[in-house]
Amino acid sequence: MTTESNPTGESAEKKGLNFVEQIVYDDLKAGKNGGRLNTRFPPEPNGYLHIGHAKAICMDFGVAEKFGGTCNLRFDDTNPVKEDTEYVDAIRDDIHWLGFDWGDREYYASDYFPKLYDLAIRLIKEGKAYVDDQTSEQIAAQKGTPTTPGQESPYRNRSVEENLDLFERMNKGEFDEGARVLRAKIDMASDNMHFRDPIMYRIIKTPHHRTGTTWNVYPMYDFAHGQSDYFEGVTHSICTLEFVPHRPLYDYFVDEIADESYRPRQIEFNRLNLTYTVMSKRKLLALVKEGLVNGWDDPRMPTICGLRRRGYTPEAVRNFIETIGYTKYEALNSVSLLEHAVRDDLNKKATRVMAVINPVKVVITNYPEGQFETVTMENNPEQEGSGVHEMPFGREIYIEREDFMENPPKKFFRLAPDQEVRLKGAYIVKCTGVHKDADGNITEIECTYDPESRSGLPGANRKVKGTLHWVSAAHAIDAEVRLYDRLFNVENPAAETERDFREMLNPDSLKVVTGVKVEPFVAKTAKQGTKFQFQRIGYFTPDYQSYANHLIFNRTIQLKDTWEKVAKKA
Ligand code: ATP
Ligand code: MG
């Protein structure tokens, strides 16, 4: 094994660790927590996971793997109003798809509701918590500012007996939602706003997806997270930077329960923010609910299920996350980096095939009618042993409309009158004429072919400037393709606080094209998850709505980043 799996050994390799790994390494080396390493990934089941969560997952599970520890999956299910088992199931699937597993360590914050309640009772008895009858608006108004102290609640000095009685009755359901809260009695003048008597419990009467109607009070994040970590034996509680100011409160509540032997430690890294998309679950939910996209797994969504449906691979996502790394300051990452990782991975994996998106017919007038032959195509020159497949060739073929110009500019190396091109894997053809309809649209192109120019024949090495993809008209199979572009046409929609994010949606983010012609091999081999490279066009994968009589392909990504080219030219 590598030295990294033995971090306490003197020879342990320290190089190449990110700052979180370095902390973990040092803690293990110092023998903290008896040399144990246990992390957790704590999603709230109130939406589907997105690529930002993937960054957290890669950290939480990755560091545990790297140093021989374990990682818990803990559903942070403290708000029954927004949570649902649909999300729980989806979260499990997405973590597995990314390549991580939590074994039997699946936990729920709701498992700890009894213990948290007991702790609240104890804190009340010790004079460290009180029931406040004020509205949330009144409480917010007394919060103060970072430079001015807050104001104490008129209910702050209630007797222990009254607090116990009220809190118990809150939980029995005697009061309405919002009527009362339980607050920690800490310091309304603290420099840290989170210490100004934070709310521990609120009344919620919506049944919980796991505990039903057992509870009428639910703990706040700050009163649940650190203790949940402690109850589970989590040693390193890794989260994102917005929790830095919460850390003292995390430690404060942990101090109330921890003994000498062990304590969890919160460490923060920067969130993933990606250009041309949004990462807020609230906004993603709105897109779904309002029908602005076709569900959580719409291939334009930054959700993990959306990326999967679009044809992204877990390896590409993980490579991208490794590339951007983990830091202690917020940044915006270019989606081009993610797209680069996707192309890089698919280049190695995708089967090369022919598909014509916008077909025009070519008739090869000197090729005998009714005659066909097959040409051999490499499945993937980037992958040894990926083999070859046969593709039919005949008198009538389809090429892309864009690959022909009647009056081409100089340096147009594709098909034009009297100009020669090679049909990939087959013959050289020369354009001898065009047919048009009454409106002047080209309906058919006539060519002749050079019978000596096929691979293996004497004229095979004759140089021509252009090579086109094509499919045999007699054998082509119709398909639908869905061409996706960026969901937003603004680089950082979250930064445009003056505008509604819906206004910034890219109206051309989905283009559905029917009448696409694919070679028979595509129809024969297309299954859920198959990765194709439509040569000269891009990477495509069958959609789950695709079936034999109606093939549908999602475009994962174009071959080259046209957006980048545009940006460079500008
Ligand atoms: P909410 O706004 O509902 O709290 P959230 O995106 O924080 O949404 P959680 O389910 O609480 O969702 O997140 C689970 C974990 O994923 C947390 O540890 C959180 O820090 C991490 N996480 C969430 N968004 C990102 C992101 N963009 N980049 C990295 N980590 C993230
Ligand atoms: Mg959160």
Side-chain angles (χ1 to χ4, degrees), residues 19-20 23 27 40 221-222 225-226 229 234-251 254 263-269:
F19 80 96
V20 178
I23 293 171
D27 282 353
R40 89 286 168 264
Y221 173 90
D222 282 324
H225 206 85
D229 283 342
V234 166
T235 56
H236 296 81
S237 183
I238 308 166
C239 59
T240 37
L241 286 171
E242 71 272 22
F243 292 102
V244 168
H246 294 250
R247 195 192 324 137
L249 190 55
Y250 177 101
D251 288 334
V254 167
R263 50 180 312 126
R265 170 177 187 180
Q266 180 181 303
I267 307 165
E268 312 84 8
F269 66 82

Side-chain angles (χ1 to χ4, degrees), residues 60-223:
D60 295 331
F61 285 92
V63 76
E65 253 169 35
K66 190 162 197 164
F67 295 107
T70 49
C71 180
N72 302 352
L73 171 59
R74 183 194 319 134
F75 290 100
D76 186 15
D77 55 347
T78 51
N79 183 359
V81 181
K82 293 184 178 168
E83 296 161 6
D84 199 277
T85 47
E86 173 197 347
Y87 301 130
V88 170
D89 295 339
I91 288 168
R92 288 198 197 105
D93 287 350
D94 288 346
I95 300 172
H96 278 147
W97 180 76
L98 279 171
F100 297 106
D101 187 46
W102 54 96
D104 58 0
R105 293 176 307 281
E106 179 172 311
Y107 303 109
Y108 293 79
S110 55
D111 295 339
Y112 313 127
F113 285 170
K115 281 183 173 174
L116 291 169
Y117 187 84
D118 290 348
L119 175 61
I121 296 284
R122 200 190 89 203
L123 294 181
I124 293 172
K125 286 182 179 163
E126 291 173 4
K128 294 175 182 164
Y130 64 96
V131 173
D132 195 333
D133 298 356
Q134 300 182 101
T135 62
S136 55
E137 290 77 16
Q138 286 169 316
I139 292 172
Q142 293 164 357
K143 202 98 223 230
T145 69
T147 48
T148 55
Q151 243 175 286
E152 293 189 355
S153 163
Y155 300 96
R156 198 171 197 263
N157 296 313
R158 273 184 158 143
S159 70
V160 167
E161 291 67 33
E162 193 182 1
N163 280 321
L164 277 179
D165 175 61
L166 287 172
F167 185 54
E168 278 163 10
R169 286 165 57 199
M170 278 166 65
N171 192 36
K172 281 190 193 133
E174 288 185 25
F175 310 119
D176 291 338
E177 288 188 7
R180 292 186 161 87
V181 291
L182 184 72
R183 296 177 72 179
K185 192 172 181 175
I186 309 181
D187 180 5
M188 287 306 291
S190 173
D191 290 342
N192 185 328
M193 299 283 284
H194 295 279
F195 268 47
R196 296 186 182 176
D197 292 9
I199 295 172
M200 293 161 59
Y201 271 93
R202 73 263 208 231
I203 300 170
I204 298 177
K205 299 208 165 165
T206 307
H208 187 279
H209 65 102
R210 297 190 81 235
T211 58
T213 53
T214 308
W215 303 93
N216 287 296
V217 290
Y218 288 88
M220 301 296 289
Y221 173 90
D222 282 324
F223 190 67

